[in-house]
Amino acid sequence: MRHRFFILLFAICLLLLPPDLRAQGPVLTRGPYLQSPSPAALTVCWRTNLAGIGRVRCGTAEGELTMVFEEAVPGTEHAVRLTGLTPATHYFYAVESDAAVLATGAGYHFYTPPLVGAAVPVRFWVLGDCGTQTIYQQRVRDAFAPVHAQRRADFWLMLGDNAYGSGTDLQFQGAVFDMYP
């Protein structure tokens, strides 16, 4: 009986919400961000407020995202591995959850690394002890931006102490994901 009461109470609360809030789909709360690149693969990660099936569409032209990769299990922490990519290639991508487009456009792109052993220059951006969430962290980020605009960094390495305090999820959100969008 108690269980039915809470279900009924929940349903009434949902009905009292304005229609635009009741129909709201998933919202991007972290990312997207890229991990574990290889010449033929890369993982796209993001977080949503609602559980759903994550999907990434990608392609070599912004308007032609013909490759589709999808998670098997719904969740809020999404990690979709893109495979079968071409080495040393520029890709654009879009992130979706339950068919709702969460991120797309010219700013969502990546380059796959060249084949192992290829003789190409590589530019690194290395940061250490950067999790302060202070003006000094912002100044380092802002000083790097014009350099990156002239010649992109191929690799970003964070050495540690990325979120000071206790290393909570909220501290990582502020010091890493919000600081370096």
Side-chain angles (χ1 to χ4, degrees):
M1 183 69 177
R2 184 181 222 184
H3 181 68
R4 289 184 186 161
F5 171 77
F6 285 113
I7 292 174
L8 179 62
L9 182 63
F10 180 71
I12 290 170
C13 289
L14 283 178
L15 290 173
L16 294 176
L17 286 173
D20 57 329
L21 288 179
R22 274 186 270 150
Q24 187 177 20
V27 173
L28 194 63
T29 60
R30 176 177 287 173
Y33 54 99
L34 310 174
Q35 291 187 332
S36 305
S38 74
L42 179 130
T43 301
V44 180
C45 303
W46 70 98
R47 180 185 287 175
T48 54
N49 65 327
L50 301 173
I53 298 290
R55 180 181 305 115
V56 176
R57 298 180 186 278
C58 73
T60 56
E62 184 181 344
E64 298 178 27
L65 308 179
T66 57
M67 300 172 73
V68 180
F69 303 89
E70 189 170 276
E71 293 175 310
V73 178
T76 58
E77 297 288 339
H78 305 278
V80 176
R81 187 75 175 161
L82 314 184
T83 59
L85 304 176
T86 304
T89 301
H90 187 195
Y91 285 93
F92 294 87
Y93 69 96
V95 167
E96 303 174 359
S97 182
D98 283 347
V101 178
L102 304 174
T104 190
Y108 297 95
H109 63 99
F110 61 88
Y111 296 83
T112 51
L115 288 172
V116 174
V120 295
V122 176
R123 178 171 282 192
F124 290 82
W125 188 31
V126 180
L127 295 171
D129 299 315
C130 60
T132 61
Q133 297 186 62
T134 64
I135 189 69
Y136 303 109
Q137 185 182 7
Q138 294 170 8
R139 286 178 181 166
V140 170
R141 176 202 61 205
D142 295 346
F144 176 73
V147 174
H148 181 64
Q150 291 175 2
R151 163 84 168 68
R152 68 178 168 83
D154 300 296
F155 188 82
W156 181 21
L157 178 63
M158 298 181 84
L159 299 175
D161 290 338
N162 303 327
Y164 282 99
S166 304
T168 65
D169 187 68
L170 185 60
Q171 290 165 340
F172 270 97
Q173 184 66 41
V176 177
F177 297 99
D178 293 343
M179 187 65 67
Y180 307 106

